[in-house]
Amino acid sequence: MALSRLSSRSTTLLQPLATTSLLRRRHISTDTTPITVETSLPFTSHLISPPSRAVETSSQELLSFFRDMALMRRMEIAADSLYKAKLIRGFCHLYDGQEAVAIGMEAAITKRDAIITSYRDHCTFLGRGGGLFEAFSELMGRTTGCSKGKGGSMHFYKKDASFYGGHGIVGAQVPLGCGLAFAQKYSKEEAVTFTLYGDGAANQGQLFEALNIAALWDLPAVLVCENNHYGMGTAEWRSAKSPAYFKRGDYVPGLKVDGMDALAVKQACKFAKEHALKNGPIILEMDTYRYHGHSMSDPGSTYRTRDEISGVRQVRDPIDRVRKLIIAHDIATEKELKDMEKEVRKEVDAAVAQAKESPIPEPSELFSNIYVKGFGAEVNFISPLETTLSFGADRKELRATLP
């Protein structure tokens, strides 16, 4: 069965927010006939029996995986160019290479389940239903961004889809994620929280403190270590005496997953959600790889060879794996998939162009969302260059002139 002809995208693409959502499937096959695929590698488990390697999928799902990961990849490549053009300022951490984690996880859960992650958050935001326009607007500091242009690359949020953000402090999202899981259990929501962190954060003390209380209280928490093997510029074997991160919970069960295989991630996350709802926390180690450096200030080739990077691309690339499955099952042709990638590129380019035209925040926004009104500080915006700030119990007034 071949993929139906792709129609041209309507002019509504240039509408902000929801229209570029990953959840739209206008060009995706609707065939949901079950297809059983075996994961590329077996799962390795700690204190628990692993799930089956046989994963049920469909033509529709495989095509959606391909398109969504291609969109994520193209978004990150565009972000690279925008950063080099100085349209994105500050820190910028890209996710290309790791798309299978975001896609597979999303396929196994619902929007009632919460996700919280580190500063490598762009693709997780898209997976939760965020739009390209919102993403690029936020990256370029525009008011139409998902955090009104004030969060930038590291602080994407989408509360209506239970995405509680990217966080800039290494490991700080882990206790917050366990707090979300506590709220879910307290409210009897029958939902779980997926808390993502990197191998560099796996040695953080706060991770073990949070995991301890989560285990004591049987919280529905799934801790996901996205092990891309280099915490900043340091190889895991140089920073961790025990790099088997799925075992690091000791008394908490764990599972090691091929994080470059979207279907393996889906199977593991479905398994982990079921476990967490019944038994409490579990750790998933996603064995993945980032193609860019740690951030845009890191060339990514001083502590690893270019041959290593290209070797992973050739053998383990998550998009190419799905591409091969689609062709092998006669779901679409190589040309149809290339046409889909061309369409994705146009969609990204259009979103970038629209975001560039969006306004930057007014200077008064520097003082908003800092304190709850009536508690601590009140701001009186006089002009674009002058603001008064009243603070403290005696309401002392500070007059500030912006440069």
Side-chain angles (χ1 to χ4, degrees), residues 66-202:
F66 180 83
R67 191 180 194 284
D68 291 352
M69 287 195 287
L71 194 66
M72 290 176 175
R73 179 76 55 88
R74 179 50 53 181
M75 176 186 70
E76 297 297 63
I77 291 171
D80 174 289
S81 298
L82 291 169
Y83 189 92
K84 289 172 180 173
K86 297 186 178 180
L87 289 170
I88 297 175
R89 310 304 289 260
F91 294 102
C92 184
H93 304 81
L94 303 181
Y95 201 75
D96 48 320
Q98 300 183 210
E99 299 93 347
V101 177
I103 290 297
M105 178 173 59
E106 201 62 55
I109 62 178
T110 73
K111 296 299 185 293
R112 292 181 63 249
D113 299 305
I115 299 177
I116 188 169
T117 188
S118 67
Y119 37 75
R120 205 177 301 278
D121 59 355
H122 312 160
C123 294
T124 308
F125 171 76
L126 285 194
R128 290 268 87 182
L132 284 173
F133 172 66
E134 297 169 278
F136 284 120
S137 293
E138 191 58 42
L139 286 169
M140 290 188 274
R142 309 305 169 104
T143 56
T144 47
C146 58
S147 298
K148 298 183 179 179
K150 297 169 65 175
S153 171
M154 298 195 291
H155 303 291
F156 280 36
Y157 294 89
K158 190 169 175 55
K159 186 180 178 182
D160 61 354
S162 305
F163 177 49
Y164 291 94
H167 293 263
I169 304 300
V170 176
Q173 70 276 14
V174 179
L176 294 177
C178 290
L180 289 168
F182 173 78
Q184 288 169 328
K185 182 169 183 176
Y186 187 83
S187 303
K188 297 181 173 59
E189 293 179 13
E190 289 300 307
V192 306
T193 296
F194 283 74
T195 301
L196 282 63
Y197 58 97
D199 49 293

Side-chain angles (χ1 to χ4, degrees), residues 143 148 150 359-368 381 384 402:
T143 56
K148 298 183 179 179
K150 297 169 65 175
I360 62 173
E362 294 292 336
S364 60
E365 281 297 310
L366 285 169
F367 302 98
S368 66
F381 181 68
L402 302 177

